[in-house]
Amino acid sequence: MNTIFQYIKRYRLSIIIALMLMFVELAVELTQPLLIRKIIDEGIVVGESHTIWLWGSIMMLLALLAFLAGICNSFFAGYAAQNFAYDLRNALFKKVQSFTMATFLQFPSASLITRLTNDVTQVQQVFFMSLRIMLRAPLVVLGSLIMAFYVDASLAIYLCIGIPVLAVFMYMMVKKSIGNFALVQHKVDRVNRMIQENLQAMRLVKAYLRGLYEVSRFEKVASALKKDTSSALRLMEYIQPILLIVMNIAMLAILWFGAGQIQNGKTNIGDIAAIVNYTMRMTGSFSMFAFIITLFSRAKASATRMEEILLIKDGIEEVVLPTKIEAPYKKGEIVFENVSFKYPQTDRYVLKNISFSCKKGEKIAIMGATGSGKSTLLQLITKFYEVEEGRILVDGVDIKEWNLKNLRQSIGYVPQRSLLFTGTIFDNITWGKTKATKEEVIKATKQAQIYDSIMDFQNGYQTRVGQKGVNLSGGQKQRLSIARAILRKPEFLLFDDSTSALDVKTESALWKALEEEQATMLVVTQKIRTAKGADRIILLEDGVLSAFGTHKELIASSILYKKIAQSQMELGVKGDD
Amino acid sequence: MIKSKLRSYIYEPVLTKEDIQSSKKRKGARASDWRKTLGRIWKIVDEQRALLIIILLMVVISSILSLLGPYLIGKIIDDHMIKKDFTGLKSMILVLIFVYIGLSISIFLQNYWMIGIAQQTVYRMRTGLFAKFQRLPIAFFDKRQHGELMSRMTNDMDNISSTLNSTFIQVFSSVITLVGTLVVMFSMSPLLTFLTMLIIPVMFVSTRWITRRTGKLFKTQQQALGSLNGMIEETISGQRVVKAFSQEQRMIDEFANKSSDLRRVGYWANVYSGAIPKTMNLLNNTSFAIVAGVGGILALKGYVSIGTIVVFSEYARQFTRPLNDLSNQFNNVLSAIAGAERVFTIMDEKEEQDQGKGELIREIRGDVTFEDVSFQYNLEEDIATIEHINFHVKKGQTVALVGATGAGKTTIMQLLARFYDPQQGRILIDDCPIQTISRQNLRSQMAFVLQEPFLFEATIKENIRYGRLQATDDDVVNAAKKANAHNFIMSLPNGYDTVLTADGGEISQGQRQLLSIARALVANPAILLLDEATSSIDTVTELEIQEALERLMEGRTSLVIAHRLNTIRKADLILVMEKGKLIESGEREKLIAKKGVFYQMLQQSTL
Ligand SMILES: Nc1ncnc2c1ncn2[C@@H]1O[C@H](COP(=O)(O)OP(=O)(O)OP(=O)(O)O)[C@@H](O)[C@H]1O
Ligand SMILES: Nc1ncnc2c1ncn2[C@@H]1O[C@H](COP(=O)(O)OP(=O)(O)OP(=O)(O)O)[C@@H](O)[C@H]1O
Ligand SMILES: [Mg+2]
Ligand SMILES: [Mg+2]
C-alpha cells in the first residue's frame, strides 16, 4: 500500500480542503436536531413567532452553507481522485514501457491491461468515496458512542461488549476478502485475455468454424469470473447482518439492564431513550460500514496488483547507463565473439558459440533452417535479450556498455512479423521518426517499393491502417515496415525475413534501391537469390554457425548450403528448358 | 491570486452548451433510449423471475421488520419503563430478538440472491456479446481496436454489475418506505404532508438538470476509458517495435494525453454526480425547515399540536431519505446505461447474412467457379480491389495464384471462404451460388492456412487439434510428422503438451507456420486454401512438406498462393494476377510456351 500511498500524498492540499468541507457538512447535519429543539422549546412552546422565524432562517442558511460545502467538496475530491488515478496510470504505463522482453513474458498483456484500467478505476473510486462519505460513518459511530457514554456510562458499556468480537470478525473478513478480490481481478485478466486472443484469431476462428467452440471456451472463463465475483461479494454480505445482530442485541441488553436500573431508581427513562436513540444511529451507519469494507478490500486487492508492477526492480531496461560513449563513432561494425544464448527460463542453447564480424556497408545474409536461431541472433543485437556468454561489439563497443537508446537509434529493425499500428499510413511510416519531412517519407517509400501502392490508394498517405495492418496485404505490410526502418537512416539495417511476401520483381527492385544507403545490413532470408546479392552469407545450423563466406565459397564448401541451393534450383532448370 | 489558484483545481468543461441544448431537445428521444436500454437489461434479469419475486418478498419482510423493531421498543418504553411495570418485558425482549434475527436473515438473503442475479445477468451479457463477436462479419473487426472492444467486455460490464448489485433492492425498498411513511404522515396531518411534498417537483427538476449532464458524461467517460484500453493493448502487443525504435517516451506521452482526457471527463462526472446527494440534502433540510417553521406558526395559531410537529419533523426526515436514495440510484442507473449502451450497440451490429441457412449439411465436391467477380473492401472508394475475375477449377485440381504483392490473391481466398461477399459476379461451388451455401456448411469443408499464422495460448496438441476437434492424439502426431513439425515439437520440454504463450511467442515464425500446416492437415477438408503457407519455412524443409501436402491435395481442390514459384510447380492451373485483374491463366507448360508474364517471373526467380 505504501507505494500507492505516495501517489495520494501529492494531493495533500486538496484532500485536506475536501475533508474540511466534509466536516462543515457533517457539523451542520449534527446541529440540526439542536436547532429544531430550539425552535420547539423557545419558539412554539413559548409562542414566539419571531424566534421561529429567526432560527428557521438560521437553519436554512446553515443548510445552504452545507450545500455549498458539499458542492465544493466535489470539485476538490474529484480533482484529487482523478489526478491520483491519472498519475497512477501514467506511472504504471511508464514502468511497463521499461520492461525487458523477458519481463513481458511474465506479465501477459491482458493482465497488464486490466491493471492499467480496471484496477486503477477500482482504487480511484474508493479514494473518491472516502473523500466524500466514507469518513462519515466512522464519525457518526464514534460521535454516538461518545454521546452514549456521556449520557450513562454504565449502560453504554454494553455497546462496547460487542466491539472486540466485531473487530476480530471484521479483520478476518477483510483479510479473506482481499484474497478473494485478488482472485476476481485475476479472472478479469483471463476474460480479457480470452477476448484478446479471440479478436486476434478472428479469421482463423471463422475459417475453421470454431465460433461455438470459442463461445464454450469463453463461457468457462466467464463463469469462473461469475463464480468468484459472486462468492467474493457474498462473503461481504455476512458483515452487515452480523453487525446488525450484535448491535441490536447490545441494544436489547441496554433495555433489559436499563429496566433493572430503573427499578432500582439508578437511571431515568430519558437517559435510556437517548442511549437507545444513539444506538440506533450507530446501527444505521453500520450498513455503510459493510459497504466501505467491501470497497476497501477490493481496492486493496487492486492496489497490490499495481504495486506488483511498480515495484519490479529486475527485468527493467536501463536506458541510461553510465556509458563510455554517448555519440557513436559510426563505424558500422558488428562483431560477435563466442556468443552463446539461451532464452530466459529455458535451458536449451539456441545459439552456440557464434563468432563473426562485419564491416561498414557490408550486406550479410543469414540463412538456416526453421528454428535455427536467425531471429534470435538479430534480437540480440537490438538488445531485446541480454547476452550472458560471449559478447557483441557494435562499433567496437560491447553492447552492454552502449546507451540503450543510442544503440537502438542506430539500428533499423524490421521484424519478421510486421507490426503496424492503428493510424494513417503516414503515421506508420514516420512512427520511428515523427519529425520526418514529406520528402524524406516519399524517398523512403520509394526505396521500399511501396510508393506506387500508396499512390494507388484513394487516400494515399492518409489511408487508415487497422490494428496490426489488417487491411493491407502481406507484402504491403512488410514494405511499410521496411519504409519505417529506413526512414530513420540508421547505421545498421536488420531485416528479419522481411521480404518473404514480396514477389521477385519487387524484391530485386528493393535491394537495388537500398544499395545507396550506406548502412551495414544483416538480412535473414530463405531465398538463395537474395543471399547471392549479399557480400557474405552466415549459415546457421541448429544454433551453430556452420559456414560463413561468399556464395561461391559456400557452394563449394558447405553441403547444407548446396542442398538449400539445389532445393531452389530444381525449378529453374526445368523452367528454362 | 487565490482565484487563479482555485482555477487550477477546475478542469476545462467537457460538455459544451450545444451538448446540453441538444440533449434538451432530444429529451424525449433520449428518455426512450434509456427506457429501451433498461428494458433490454431487464429482459435478462427477468429470466430469473422466481428468484426476483422471492427477493422482493424479502425486501418487504425486512422493511416491515425494520419498522417493527423501533415500534416495539417504543412500546417497551411506553408500557414498561414509564409505567414501571416489568411483567412481560422478558417476552417482549424475546420477540425483539427474533425480529432482529429475522431482519438480519432477510437482509442477508436478499443481498445474497441479488448478487447471484446480478452476476448471472452480467455473465449472460458477456457471453452474449462474445457469441455476437463470432457472428459479426470480418469487416467489422478490420476497423476496430482490440483493446477498445475488450473494454466493453470488462470495464463497461463492471458498471452494469455494480449497479445491479445494489440498485434493484435499494429502489424497491425506498419505494416501500416512501409509501409507508407517506401514509403515516398523511394520517397525521394532511396539511404538513402537503408542505413536505412541495420539494418533490424541485427535486425532480434538479435531478433532471444534473442527470442531463451526467448521462452524457458517463458515456464519454466509458468511451475515453475504452480508447485508453485500446491504446494500451496495441502498444503492449507491439512492444517489440516500440523498443526497436526507442519510441517509449513518445508512447508514454501519447498515453498521458489520452489518460488526461479520461481525467477531465472523470472529473466532471464526479463533480456533477456528486452534486446529487448534496442537492438532496439541501432540499431535505429545506423541507425540514419548512415543517418546523410553518408548522410552528400553524401550531401557534392552534391548527396543529406541538407533538405532531415533533413527530412529524422526524417523519419528514424519513420521507426524504428514500427520495434521496432514489435520485442517487438514478445516477447509478445512468452509469450502468452508459456501459450497457456501448454493449448493445455491438449487439445491434449487422451479422453475417446467410441465405442458405436452412440448407442441409451436404458434401461439397469441390468444383469452384468465379464468374465475373468484382469486389472492393471499401464501398466509399471507387477503386475495386479485384475486377472481373473468371476461372474454373474442377474437383481435385490444384490452382496456383501468383502475382505481385497487393494484387488481390488473398482477397480471392477470403471471398471463397465468404469472409466477405463480392459486390458483383458470382462464385459457384459445385454449380451452387456460394451465397446459398451456409457459411457453416462451406467452412466445415475447407481448411485455411492463413498468411499470418496464429497460435492459441494452449498446448501444441490443442493447437493442432483446432483443425478438427475430434482428432485423436495419433492423428495429431501424424499431422505434425507430415508437416515436419514433429522433430521440433519433441525437442520442446514437454513435447506435444508444451503450453505456448500468447500467439506462440516462444517459437520461431517458421515453426508457427509448420503448426498451422499441421492444423490444416488434421482437418481433412474438401477444399484446401494455402496462403503463403510456407513463406517463412526454409526451402529444404519445404520440399519435404511439399510431398505431404501433395498427397493431401490429391482428390481435393486446392488454392495455393506462393511467391516462391517452385512451391507451386505441380499446380494444374496457374492464375497470374496484377492489380486486381487476372492477366494470364492456364497450365504451366502453356504459360511458359506463351512467354508472357509468368515466364518472365520464372526467369527472374531463377536468375
Ligand atoms: N481487410 C481489408 N480492408 C481493406 N482493404 C484491404 C483489406 N485486405 C486487403 N486490402 C487491400 O486489397 C488489396 C489486395 O490485397 P490482398 O491481400 O488480396 O493482396 P495479395 O495479393 O494477397 O498480396 P500479398 O502477396 O502482398 O499478400 C491491397 O491493396 C490491400 O491493401
Ligand atoms: N521467446 C522464446 N523463448 C524460448 N524459446 C524461444 C523463444 N523464441 C524462439 N525460441 C526458440 O529458439 C529457437 C530459435 O528461434 P528463432 O526464432 O531464432 O528461429 P529462426 O531461425 O528465426 O526460425 P524461422 O526461420 O522459423 O523464423 C527455436 O527453436 C524457438 O523455438
Ligand atoms: Mg525467425
Ligand atoms: Mg496476401
Side-chain angles (χ1 to χ4, degrees), chain A residues 515-532:
Chain A
E515 267 165 23
E516 68 179 87
E517 293 293 312
Q518 292 297 303
T520 310
M521 286 193 250
L522 290 181
V523 180
V524 171
T525 181
Q526 305 288 3
K527 301 178 196 170
I528 289 284
R529 263 179 50 81
T530 313
K532 257 192 206 167

PDB file of all heavy atoms in Angstrom, chain A residues 515-532:
ATOM      1  N   GLU A 515      20.792  -0.142 -52.041  1.00  0.00           N
ATOM      2  CA  GLU A 515      22.244  -0.071 -52.192  1.00  0.00           C
ATOM      3  C   GLU A 515      22.788   1.308 -51.861  1.00  0.00           C
ATOM      4  O   GLU A 515      23.878   1.448 -51.324  1.00  0.00           O
ATOM      5  CB  GLU A 515      22.643  -0.462 -53.618  1.00  0.00           C
ATOM      6  CG  GLU A 515      22.973  -1.943 -53.731  1.00  0.00           C
ATOM      7  CD  GLU A 515      23.006  -2.403 -55.168  1.00  0.00           C
ATOM      8  OE1 GLU A 515      23.216  -1.555 -56.058  1.00  0.00           O
ATOM      9  OE2 GLU A 515      22.807  -3.608 -55.391  1.00  0.00           O
ATOM     10  N   GLU A 516      22.019   2.329 -52.183  1.00  0.00           N
ATOM     11  CA  GLU A 516      22.530   3.681 -51.958  1.00  0.00           C
ATOM     12  C   GLU A 516      22.601   4.054 -50.480  1.00  0.00           C
ATOM     13  O   GLU A 516      23.309   4.981 -50.103  1.00  0.00           O
ATOM     14  CB  GLU A 516      21.682   4.711 -52.707  1.00  0.00           C
ATOM     15  CG  GLU A 516      20.290   4.849 -52.163  1.00  0.00           C
ATOM     16  CD  GLU A 516      19.502   5.895 -52.926  1.00  0.00           C
ATOM     17  OE1 GLU A 516      18.882   5.560 -53.964  1.00  0.00           O
ATOM     18  OE2 GLU A 516      19.523   7.048 -52.482  1.00  0.00           O
ATOM     19  N   GLU A 517      21.849   3.345 -49.638  1.00  0.00           N
ATOM     20  CA  GLU A 517      22.003   3.546 -48.199  1.00  0.00           C
ATOM     21  C   GLU A 517      23.375   2.992 -47.831  1.00  0.00           C
ATOM     22  O   GLU A 517      23.721   1.886 -48.226  1.00  0.00           O
ATOM     23  CB  GLU A 517      20.931   2.761 -47.432  1.00  0.00           C
ATOM     24  CG  GLU A 517      19.512   3.255 -47.624  1.00  0.00           C
ATOM     25  CD  GLU A 517      19.297   4.627 -47.015  1.00  0.00           C
ATOM     26  OE1 GLU A 517      19.703   4.814 -45.867  1.00  0.00           O
ATOM     27  OE2 GLU A 517      18.746   5.498 -47.710  1.00  0.00           O
ATOM     28  N   GLN A 518      24.095   3.743 -47.055  1.00  0.00           N
ATOM     29  CA  GLN A 518      25.428   3.248 -46.720  1.00  0.00           C
ATOM     30  C   GLN A 518      25.403   2.326 -45.499  1.00  0.00           C
ATOM     31  O   GLN A 518      26.396   2.145 -44.828  1.00  0.00           O
ATOM     32  CB  GLN A 518      26.365   4.425 -46.464  1.00  0.00           C
ATOM     33  CG  GLN A 518      26.655   5.222 -47.709  1.00  0.00           C
ATOM     34  CD  GLN A 518      27.386   4.390 -48.747  1.00  0.00           C
ATOM     35  OE1 GLN A 518      28.448   3.843 -48.478  1.00  0.00           O
ATOM     36  NE2 GLN A 518      26.833   4.246 -49.954  1.00  0.00           N
ATOM     37  N   ALA A 519      24.227   1.746 -45.222  1.00  0.00           N
ATOM     38  CA  ALA A 519      24.086   1.001 -43.975  1.00  0.00           C
ATOM     39  C   ALA A 519      24.689  -0.390 -44.051  1.00  0.00           C
ATOM     40  O   ALA A 519      24.758  -0.993 -45.113  1.00  0.00           O
ATOM     41  CB  ALA A 519      22.616   0.894 -43.615  1.00  0.00           C
ATOM     42  N   THR A 520      25.128  -0.862 -42.902  1.00  0.00           N
ATOM     43  CA  THR A 520      25.518  -2.258 -42.771  1.00  0.00           C
ATOM     44  C   THR A 520      24.232  -3.059 -42.641  1.00  0.00           C
ATOM     45  O   THR A 520      23.388  -2.712 -41.826  1.00  0.00           O
ATOM     46  CB  THR A 520      26.348  -2.461 -41.490  1.00  0.00           C
ATOM     47  OG1 THR A 520      27.377  -1.479 -41.473  1.00  0.00           O
ATOM     48  CG2 THR A 520      26.922  -3.849 -41.416  1.00  0.00           C
ATOM     49  N   MET A 521      24.096  -4.089 -43.467  1.00  0.00           N
ATOM     50  CA  MET A 521      22.824  -4.812 -43.453  1.00  0.00           C
ATOM     51  C   MET A 521      22.998  -6.257 -43.049  1.00  0.00           C
ATOM     52  O   MET A 521      23.883  -6.952 -43.528  1.00  0.00           O
ATOM     53  CB  MET A 521      22.190  -4.774 -44.845  1.00  0.00           C
ATOM     54  CG  MET A 521      21.605  -3.446 -45.216  1.00  0.00           C
ATOM     55  SD  MET A 521      20.575  -3.620 -46.658  1.00  0.00           S
ATOM     56  CE  MET A 521      21.582  -2.770 -47.844  1.00  0.00           C
ATOM     57  N   LEU A 522      22.124  -6.688 -42.159  1.00  0.00           N
ATOM     58  CA  LEU A 522      22.024  -8.107 -41.845  1.00  0.00           C
ATOM     59  C   LEU A 522      20.653  -8.556 -42.321  1.00  0.00           C
ATOM     60  O   LEU A 522      19.638  -8.025 -41.879  1.00  0.00           O
ATOM     61  CB  LEU A 522      22.146  -8.354 -40.343  1.00  0.00           C
ATOM     62  CG  LEU A 522      23.514  -8.113 -39.714  1.00  0.00           C
ATOM     63  CD1 LEU A 522      23.473  -8.430 -38.235  1.00  0.00           C
ATOM     64  CD2 LEU A 522      24.558  -8.968 -40.389  1.00  0.00           C
ATOM     65  N   VAL A 523      20.647  -9.495 -43.252  1.00  0.00           N
ATOM     66  CA  VAL A 523      19.393  -9.853 -43.896  1.00  0.00           C
ATOM     67  C   VAL A 523      19.105 -11.337 -43.693  1.00  0.00           C
ATOM     68  O   VAL A 523      19.819 -12.183 -44.215  1.00  0.00           O
ATOM     69  CB  VAL A 523      19.472  -9.559 -45.412  1.00  0.00           C
ATOM     70  CG1 VAL A 523      18.169  -9.930 -46.079  1.00  0.00           C
ATOM     71  CG2 VAL A 523      19.818  -8.106 -45.644  1.00  0.00           C
ATOM     72  N   VAL A 524      18.083 -11.619 -42.936  1.00  0.00           N
ATOM     73  CA  VAL A 524      17.675 -13.028 -42.810  1.00  0.00           C
ATOM     74  C   VAL A 524      16.841 -13.360 -44.029  1.00  0.00           C
ATOM     75  O   VAL A 524      15.955 -12.590 -44.404  1.00  0.00           O
ATOM     76  CB  VAL A 524      16.843 -13.247 -41.541  1.00  0.00           C
ATOM     77  CG1 VAL A 524      16.242 -14.646 -41.547  1.00  0.00           C
ATOM     78  CG2 VAL A 524      17.679 -13.031 -40.305  1.00  0.00           C
ATOM     79  N   THR A 525      17.124 -14.465 -44.654  1.00  0.00           N
ATOM     80  CA  THR A 525      16.340 -14.817 -45.836  1.00  0.00           C
ATOM     81  C   THR A 525      16.318 -16.318 -46.042  1.00  0.00           C
ATOM     82  O   THR A 525      17.157 -17.038 -45.505  1.00  0.00           O
ATOM     83  CB  THR A 525      16.901 -14.118 -47.089  1.00  0.00           C
ATOM     84  OG1 THR A 525      16.090 -14.488 -48.200  1.00  0.00           O
ATOM     85  CG2 THR A 525      18.335 -14.537 -47.355  1.00  0.00           C
ATOM     86  N   GLN A 526      15.351 -16.752 -46.806  1.00  0.00           N
ATOM     87  CA  GLN A 526      15.317 -18.169 -47.178  1.00  0.00           C
ATOM     88  C   GLN A 526      15.706 -18.321 -48.638  1.00  0.00           C
ATOM     89  O   GLN A 526      15.863 -19.428 -49.141  1.00  0.00           O
ATOM     90  CB  GLN A 526      13.898 -18.745 -46.999  1.00  0.00           C
ATOM     91  CG  GLN A 526      13.305 -18.559 -45.628  1.00  0.00           C
ATOM     92  CD  GLN A 526      13.954 -19.446 -44.596  1.00  0.00           C
ATOM     93  OE1 GLN A 526      14.897 -20.185 -44.894  1.00  0.00           O
ATOM     94  NE2 GLN A 526      13.468 -19.377 -43.371  1.00  0.00           N
ATOM     95  N   LYS A 527      15.822 -17.187 -49.341  1.00  0.00           N
ATOM     96  CA  LYS A 527      15.997 -17.262 -50.787  1.00  0.00           C
ATOM     97  C   LYS A 527      17.471 -17.171 -51.171  1.00  0.00           C
ATOM     98  O   LYS A 527      18.157 -16.209 -50.821  1.00  0.00           O
ATOM     99  CB  LYS A 527      15.222 -16.134 -51.467  1.00  0.00           C
ATOM    100  CG  LYS A 527      13.738 -16.170 -51.162  1.00  0.00           C
ATOM    101  CD  LYS A 527      13.034 -14.992 -51.833  1.00  0.00           C
ATOM    102  CE  LYS A 527      11.656 -14.797 -51.225  1.00  0.00           C
ATOM    103  NZ  LYS A 527      11.008 -13.559 -51.647  1.00  0.00           N
ATOM    104  N   ILE A 528      17.937 -18.152 -51.918  1.00  0.00           N
ATOM    105  CA  ILE A 528      19.306 -18.138 -52.402  1.00  0.00           C
ATOM    106  C   ILE A 528      19.570 -16.894 -53.251  1.00  0.00           C
ATOM    107  O   ILE A 528      20.624 -16.269 -53.176  1.00  0.00           O
ATOM    108  CB  ILE A 528      19.569 -19.403 -53.269  1.00  0.00           C
ATOM    109  CG1 ILE A 528      19.603 -20.643 -52.382  1.00  0.00           C
ATOM    110  CG2 ILE A 528      20.852 -19.266 -54.062  1.00  0.00           C
ATOM    111  CD1 ILE A 528      20.872 -20.805 -51.586  1.00  0.00           C
ATOM    112  N   ARG A 529      18.563 -16.511 -53.993  1.00  0.00           N
ATOM    113  CA  ARG A 529      18.701 -15.327 -54.831  1.00  0.00           C
ATOM    114  C   ARG A 529      19.092 -14.096 -54.023  1.00  0.00           C
ATOM    115  O   ARG A 529      19.950 -13.314 -54.424  1.00  0.00           O
ATOM    116  CB  ARG A 529      17.349 -15.016 -55.495  1.00  0.00           C
ATOM    117  CG  ARG A 529      17.176 -15.521 -56.898  1.00  0.00           C
ATOM    118  CD  ARG A 529      15.789 -15.125 -57.357  1.00  0.00           C
ATOM    119  NE  ARG A 529      15.550 -13.705 -57.100  1.00  0.00           N
ATOM    120  CZ  ARG A 529      15.989 -12.741 -57.879  1.00  0.00           C
ATOM    121  NH1 ARG A 529      16.659 -13.039 -58.975  1.00  0.00           N
ATOM    122  NH2 ARG A 529      15.757 -11.489 -57.579  1.00  0.00           N
ATOM    123  N   THR A 530      18.437 -13.952 -52.904  1.00  0.00           N
ATOM    124  CA  THR A 530      18.738 -12.814 -52.047  1.00  0.00           C
ATOM    125  C   THR A 530      20.139 -12.963 -51.459  1.00  0.00           C
ATOM    126  O   THR A 530      20.903 -12.003 -51.383  1.00  0.00           O
ATOM    127  CB  THR A 530      17.707 -12.724 -50.905  1.00  0.00           C
ATOM    128  OG1 THR A 530      16.416 -12.863 -51.469  1.00  0.00           O
ATOM    129  CG2 THR A 530      17.812 -11.431 -50.157  1.00  0.00           C
ATOM    130  N   ALA A 531      20.443 -14.203 -51.076  1.00  0.00           N
ATOM    131  CA  ALA A 531      21.750 -14.454 -50.469  1.00  0.00           C
ATOM    132  C   ALA A 531      22.868 -14.145 -51.458  1.00  0.00           C
ATOM    133  O   ALA A 531      23.903 -13.578 -51.095  1.00  0.00           O
ATOM    134  CB  ALA A 531      21.832 -15.900 -50.007  1.00  0.00           C
ATOM    135  N   LYS A 532      22.629 -14.494 -52.682  1.00  0.00           N
ATOM    136  CA  LYS A 532      23.637 -14.238 -53.712  1.00  0.00           C
ATOM    137  C   LYS A 532      23.993 -12.766 -53.799  1.00  0.00           C
ATOM    138  O   LYS A 532      25.140 -12.401 -54.030  1.00  0.00           O
ATOM    139  CB  LYS A 532      23.073 -14.660 -55.073  1.00  0.00           C
ATOM    140  CG  LYS A 532      23.597 -15.981 -55.574  1.00  0.00           C
ATOM    141  CD  LYS A 532      23.177 -16.078 -57.036  1.00  0.00           C
ATOM    142  CE  LYS A 532      23.046 -17.501 -57.500  1.00  0.00           C
ATOM    143  NZ  LYS A 532      22.363 -17.582 -58.791  1.00  0.00           N
TER     144      LYS A 532
END
